[in-house]
Amino acid sequence: MINPMFNKLVIIGVGLIGGSFALALRQAGLVKQIVGIGRSQANMQRALDLGVIDEIAHHPALAMQDADAVLLAMPVGQTADIMAKIAPYLQPETVITDAGSTKQDVIAAARTYLDKHLKNFVPSHPIAGAEHSGVNAAQANLFHNKHLIITPLEETSDTALARVTALWQGCGAQVSEMQADEHDRLLAATSHLPHLLAFTFMNYLCTNIGNDPDQLLRFAGSGLRDFTRIAGSSPEMWHDICFSNRETLLTQIDAYQHTLSSLQKMLEDSNGPALKDLFSEAREARRNWFKDKI
Amino acid sequence: MINPMFNKLVIIGVGLIGGSFALALRQAGLVKQIVGIGRSQANMQRALDLGVIDEIAHHPALAMQDADAVLLAMPVGQTADIMAKIAPYLQPETVITDAGSTKQDVIAAARTYLDKHLKNFVPSHPIAGAEHSGVNAAQANLFHNKHLIITPLEETSDTALARVTALWQGCGAQVSEMQADEHDRLLAATSHLPHLLAFTFMNYLCTNIGNDPDQLLRFAGSGLRDFTRIAGSSPEMWHDICFSNRETLLTQIDAYQHTLSSLQKMLEDSNGPALKDLFSEAREARRNWFKDKI
């Protein structure tokens, strides 16, 4: 095993993401000791039994002692609260990263609570996940060849950036840098808005169609099945993401409705050529974007 | 082979649907002679070579002579034109059916052109298809265990209904009866609107997101891929369907916009509980409807 770059890593929230981070870094030989903190003692004990972590910490003070790095991997809604709790105990050299799906709100919390440690904070978002959660679902290769977006602050030090990049690359992730607002706009477009629209479509079907569900189901094809698949996602998780990225999402809902209204008007005005052109552009765009994926 | 119920079947438009209808009925031994009419002589010759049809007719007059049944399987936009062309040559006992994705417009054309033969017309819609088209894509089992919706008119005779039902059941289809307006409303909700929304979403991405497509593609996941799959469908076909079902679709776009606006307002008003409830209802509805399909 190569000489570990990190003697002590603290993971707050040892679930799918935090647990996979631990397993990957241990496998890569980058970390010597891994300490976990979490709400569910059953889950923490399981993490210990599985060898995902070496130790359970019950108070931030002890956990942060001599910590080289901290990963915030609890639900994004708890970020501000956790930062406030750990800030007093952070060491001058401890680097901090997170795994939140939205970045501007996490950065706002960091600016409020991390104070002089802000330079050591490197906001991150791994584009990886699974339908299962908890440490039992953790896997060493979860981030392997997956994208990881880092949205550094002006204040972020080169040292912190380099060390956190090394951690994620050690997990096998492909690290890209981006501005936080661009990240939130990009993810709103490719992930948050589609989820909201799929949930909306199912609500529309339930509330606006007179036929009973069985009737609808009988004649529904694979098109509807795939179009609504993401409406089967976790309401709690998507509630948090919608509010974490609220402003950006509201702007994009407006823009989408504007586009929908313009197609609607083409149909109202019986402007067939214009509608067919838009359909063709849409198909072309999708084929270009996904030609390697389908 | 059982004694064929139909001596002569005429298929207008021998593509995926018309060709599969011919192959299935021949395999079932329900039809003795199959005559085809179509625009592309290359496709018609291919249908003859493949043994899908026994004969190519170049004029409706000859084709309709002694015909027991006629299937209209050309693009739905040509329905009125074709009905006008064949009406003068229809025999008093010839039953007529079609395979159009929309029914009210097909029925309107029938009322205009079929005259005294209206009682022999049985509007039908097989919920089956494939991404390929033309007689080369035809297959005897295309309709096997697929739904087929019949939307009879008041004028439709019991004999015509029974004979057309026998034809589709002979193809292995599960035949259901429905009112034409209910059919168009149901299909608008489960198929036409989702297609329009998926096309709209791709247009939204192209026109509203500053990032270059490669950037978007790099970070797009399987959620976006499935949500937009139907935006890869044929612009021509969906242009025709949108206009064939224009009024119903316009009403449903309004209703969807209304539902989307109400979710948007919950986000604006920071009404988290209401938004989470709607997400939960949406997930529940989808899980119930598709529990057998996923």
Side-chain angles (χ1 to χ4, degrees), chain A residues 232-245:
Chain A
S233 308
S234 159
E236 297 68 23
M237 174 179 170
W238 285 97
H239 162 276
D240 285 4
I241 290 175
C242 286
F243 279 99
S244 300
N245 203 12

Side-chain angles (χ1 to χ4, degrees), chain A residues 214-233:
Chain A
D214 293 346
Q215 177 83 321
L216 269 170
L217 172 60
R218 278 178 63 208
F219 302 106
S222 60
L224 185 65
R225 183 197 61 208
D226 292 355
F227 182 73
T228 60
R229 182 175 67 77
I230 50 181
S233 308

Side-chain angles (χ1 to χ4, degrees), chain A residues 127 147-149 175-176 178 182 185-191 193-211 213-236 238-240 242-243 246 249-250 252-257 259-261 263-273 275-294, chain B residues 127 147-149 176 178 182 185-187 189-191 193-211 213-236 238-240 242-243 246 249-250 252-261 263-273 275-294:
Chain A
I127 314 287
H147 282 291
L148 179 117
I149 301 174
V175 177
S176 308
M178 203 182 284
E182 184 187 4
R185 195 160 44 85
L186 188 70
L187 271 291
T190 60
S191 172
L193 181 59
H195 277 78
L196 185 102
L197 294 176
F199 281 125
T200 301
F201 186 78
M202 290 308 300
N203 286 120
Y204 156 77
L205 281 185
C206 299
T207 53
N208 289 276
I209 306 303
N211 307 289
D214 293 346
Q215 177 83 321
L216 269 170
L217 172 60
R218 278 178 63 208
F219 302 106
S222 60
L224 185 65
R225 183 197 61 208
D226 292 355
F227 182 73
T228 60
R229 182 175 67 77
I230 50 181
S233 308
S234 159
E236 297 68 23
W238 285 97
H239 162 276
D240 285 4
C242 286
F243 279 99
R246 185 167 165 275
L249 195 49
L250 283 171
Q252 296 201 8
I253 294 170
D254 277 335
Y256 178 82
Q257 280 184 317
T259 307
L260 180 54
S261 297
L263 268 81
Q264 185 178 25
K265 188 157 192 328
M266 290 172 192
L267 197 54
E268 271 165 1
D269 300 347
S270 297
N271 187 349
L275 193 66
K276 197 189 287 185
D277 285 349
L278 279 193
F279 286 178
S280 301
E281 288 165 25
R283 179 172 69 166
E284 194 57 21
R286 185 177 190 281
R287 288 187 170 178
N288 291 338
W289 293 0
F290 288 90
K291 57 181 180 298
D292 308 326
K293 294 201 171 193
I294 287 166
Chain B
I127 313 287
H147 283 291
L148 180 116
I149 301 174
S176 309
M178 200 182 286
E182 184 188 4
R185 195 162 44 86
L186 189 72
L187 271 290
T190 58
S191 172
L193 182 59
H195 277 78
L196 186 103
L197 294 175
F199 281 125
T200 301
F201 187 79
M202 291 308 300
N203 286 119
Y204 156 78
L205 281 186
C206 299
T207 52
N208 289 277
I209 306 303
N211 307 288
D214 293 346
Q215 177 82 322
L216 270 171
L217 172 61
R218 279 178 63 207
F219 302 108
S222 59
L224 185 64
R225 184 197 62 210
D226 291 354
F227 182 72
T228 59
R229 182 176 67 77
I230 51 181
S233 308
S234 159
E236 297 68 23
W238 285 96
H239 161 278
D240 285 5
C242 286
F243 279 99
R246 185 166 165 277
L249 194 49
L250 283 172
Q252 296 202 7
I253 295 171
D254 276 335
Y256 179 82
Q257 291 263 38
H258 183 77
T259 307
L260 180 54
S261 297
L263 268 82
Q264 183 178 27
K265 187 154 193 328
M266 291 173 191
L267 197 53
E268 272 165 1
D269 300 347
S270 297
N271 188 348
L275 194 65
K276 197 189 286 185
D277 286 348
L278 279 194
F279 286 178
S280 301
E281 288 166 24
R283 180 173 68 167
E284 193 56 23
R286 185 179 189 280
R287 288 188 169 178
N288 291 340
W289 294 1
F290 288 90
K291 57 181 180 297
D292 307 326
K293 294 200 170 194
I294 288 166

Side-chain angles (χ1 to χ4, degrees), chain A residues 132-154:
Chain A
H132 306 299
S133 55
V135 72
N136 288 320
Q139 41 186 302
N141 66 351
L142 184 69
F143 307 112
H144 193 67
N145 288 331
K146 297 288 171 38
H147 282 291
L148 179 117
I149 301 174
I150 283 179
T151 62
L153 313 176
E154 281 179 16

Side-chain angles (χ1 to χ4, degrees), chain A residues 79-149:
Chain A
T79 306
D81 179 46
I82 295 291
M83 283 180 172
K85 284 203 175 89
I86 65 170
Y89 311 106
L90 286 167
Q91 311 288 310
E93 301 309 321
T94 309
V95 295
I96 309 119
T97 187
D98 77 310
S101 304
T102 52
K103 297 270 66 79
Q104 289 174 110
D105 64 317
V106 168
I107 288 171
R111 291 195 180 285
T112 307
Y113 298 104
L114 292 188
D115 190 25
K116 64 181 186 295
H117 302 284
L118 192 62
K119 67 176 184 3
N120 293 330
F121 179 54
V122 184
S124 308
H125 176 206
I127 314 287
E131 55 277 41
H132 306 299
S133 55
V135 72
N136 288 320
Q139 41 186 302
N141 66 351
L142 184 69
F143 307 112
H144 193 67
N145 288 331
K146 297 288 171 38
H147 282 291
L148 179 117
I149 301 174

